[in-house]
Amino acid sequence: MEENKQNQVARIQDFDPPKKPKTNKYAIACSFLASLSSILLGYDIGVMSGAIIYIKKDLHITDVQVEILVGILNVYSLFGSAAAGRTSDWIGRRYTMVVAAGIFFAGALLMGFATTYAFLMFGRFVAGVGVGYALMVAPVYTAEVSPASSRGFLTSFPEVFINFGILMGYVSNVAFSKLPTHLSWRFMLGIGAVPSVFLAVSVLAMPESPRWLVMQGRLGDARRVLNKTSDSLQEAQLRLADIKQAAGIPENCNDDIVEVPKRANGDNVWKELIFSPTPAIRHILITGVGIHFFQQASGIDAVVLYSPKIFEKAGIKSDHDKLLCTVAVGVVKTLFILVATFMLDRSGRRPLLLTSVGGMVASLVLLATGLTIIDHSEQKLVWGIALCITMVLAYVALFSIGMGPITWVYSSEIFPLRLRATGCSIGVAVNRVTSGVVSMTFLSLEKAITIGAAFFLYASFAAVAWVFFYTLMPETQGKTLEEMETLFGTFWNWRARARELKELKKTEKNSNDNGQIQMGTNNPAMQNLMT
């Protein structure tokens, strides 16, 4: 009798909602340290927006040379991104970050000591390669270390640190703006070597990616990392089993060191990803590349890199005042990216992304309208200046709360293990090319069609992006990295696939619950649904 009562209590407790797992502090620390590499890109973007004012005065360069100098780093970063995928598969995610830090350190010093435009361009090339390495490896490492319950929160860290780096660059502009012209921009650029030193040192405290360790046959090391970075030992075992399956290692193989079946070589990876992909891989590639393209095509780098120019067009003439307004942009951008990190795993990717992009369209249209009215007015319009400043701040806030972090979160989690490094490299390459085109054409575009029309153009790209995301992008919240392929492959019909998977999980849960309540009685209807 007593035993029956205990069993009844146990069955009733089965219906209680599962307790939310505690946030894994070790996984947070690993993601935090890895994401330091993203400061490199952020600092360069932020500091160049102000440094270019003094570089132009000191080196007497033209607007076209300014555009090239500002945007060329994005093109140079392609070399780093292209090499980073293979490098991270060869020496591991962790030591690839050391490579990124070392290269950027050299680039920052070269820019700081540059005496001519050509010398400065060479420093940009070296720094760009380091940025390309950092952009590819940080999101991949973080996604592979993170447990599913907090992956959105943790994989948004790189975007957080990009924003923090931008803010540091803006503050550096103000701090060194009072120095003589020939020294101010050199200090602004050269001080960028400092974050790379901290990154290189921080690697000593980080474990290697468990997925990379499994690919090397180091199951024992991978198991220890997973035990520390998972919410429970059961989750660690499930994650290890999924990774072993993806790597082609038999499930019953549990030795610390195993021989990994030879996987497809690099050519076959490209074949599977580009030349003859399955419908699921094609869908993943389109969405992974598309989100990177639209992130930059919507004009974020035009706003961040040329915000002093935008404020000048709005009616602010003092260099110091323009830099102070730019610092406000950095502060708002950083604050809202912090908000986004806590919402990603609560609200899901799609709601935040669609809200963000919709708001960006509205703010860009209003900014373009304000700049156009000011451009055609002979009087100083205080309300127009206020509108433009407000819309710039609103735009960067809306970008940071969705489009900014979700681009890196989403693209780093959808590619299967065997294709992840290469797929992310392609996404980063598209990101940097698009960013380079935007940043190297803004001044010319502004002269050709006016600054207001330029922002109307960016607004149109953002509107197309909203339709693309709404149509093609499944929700990935709460899915393991190894489950992603099941969500893709039906393109705009992905909702039907998602409903099928949801119903299947619901059926399995109901079947298990009925089995407990009915003391093991099988339900034929449920079995039919599952088959």
Side-chain angles (χ1 to χ4, degrees), residues 149-168:
S149 63
S150 56
R151 191 175 59 245
F153 170 64
L154 298 180
T155 50
S156 65
F157 276 16
E159 182 68 14
V160 172
F161 280 94
I162 287 176
N163 282 272
F164 183 66
I166 290 172
L167 179 57
M168 286 175 58

Side-chain angles (χ1 to χ4, degrees), residues 16 116 268 291 300 351 393 411 451 508 516-517 525:
D16 292 340
T116 64
N268 287 336
I291 194 170
I300 185 61
L393 296 178
S411 62
I451 192 168
E508 290 174 347
Q516 290 174 339
I517 294 169

Side-chain angles (χ1 to χ4, degrees), residues 1 13 21 31 34 48 63 78 93 152 180-181 256 265 320-321 386 454 476 484 501 525:
M1 190 74 176
Q13 288 173 345
S31 302
M48 189 54 72
D63 281 346
L78 293 176
R93 317 314 194 203
T181 301
D256 284 351
N265 57 30
H320 189 70
D321 290 345
T476 57
M484 291 299 173
L501 293 172

Side-chain angles (χ1 to χ4, degrees), residues 5 27 29 32 54 63 115 122 160 249 327 334 353 371 374 387 391 421 423 428 436 497 510 513 520-521:
K5 286 183 179 180
F32 180 91
Y54 305 97
D63 281 346
T115 53
F122 177 69
V160 172
I249 299 173
V327 170
T334 304
L353 184 63
L371 289 169
I374 290 172
L387 175 65
M391 287 305 104
V428 171
R497 173 69 60 83
N510 288 340
D513 290 345
T521 302

Side-chain angles (χ1 to χ4, degrees), residues 500 503-508 510-511 523-531:
E500 290 175 8
E503 287 298 321
L504 180 59
K505 287 188 176 182
K506 186 177 179 181
T507 301
E508 290 174 347
N510 288 340
S511 180
N523 188 330
M526 295 300 179
Q527 290 183 348
N528 290 336
L529 280 172
M530 293 178 67
T531 57

